Amino acid sequence: MESDKVNRWLTLGANIGVLIGIILLVVELNQNRDMIRAQTRNDISQQLSNRLLSVGTNSQMASVMRRATGGEELTADEEYQAYLYLVANMRDWENIHYQYRHGMFDEHEFDAEKFAWRGVINNSKLFERNWCRIRQNYSAEFLAELESLLEEDVCAAPQDD
């Protein structure tokens, strides 16, 4: 009888230990999730900052992007530079959208990103000239999100490819 009582107490103690272990594991997993969210946010922010600095610190590229965005005439090489910049930027945006869909951005952060996107896509001749020929390269979810921000369907008119 006495050993039975001791076994029950030992079993109870072991179960409590397991429960405490599970609780600590959940706390650690939440901390890891928060750390991953912060690291993801930091990495994306760093990528975007580096892209802006690459233009801001290079007068030739700054000139190309200013003229491309404004719809001014570019040489073939300048047009290609602007195109590559746009594609790289769109990949960053698609990544932000992906991270948002998977819980790495909260609604408030993502709304701020979309506000910036709306300004770029609706005020850039570079985007307007290239979107129709590159949009099939992006995920359906991102495509739908971006096109919901367009003030008009830039692909409705025939495009020169």
Side-chain angles (χ1 to χ4, degrees), residues 48-70:
L48 296 173
S49 293
N50 287 343
R51 186 166 338 289
L52 292 173
L53 283 172
S54 74
V55 173
T57 59
N58 180 327
S59 60
Q60 186 271 337
M61 190 62 180
S63 173
V64 167
M65 292 308 299
R66 179 190 53 74
R67 290 181 291 126
T69 301

Side-chain angles (χ1 to χ4, degrees), residues 17 19 45 62 77 89 145 152 156:
L19 184 60
S45 178
D77 288 343
N89 200 50
E145 186 76 54
E152 59 185 58

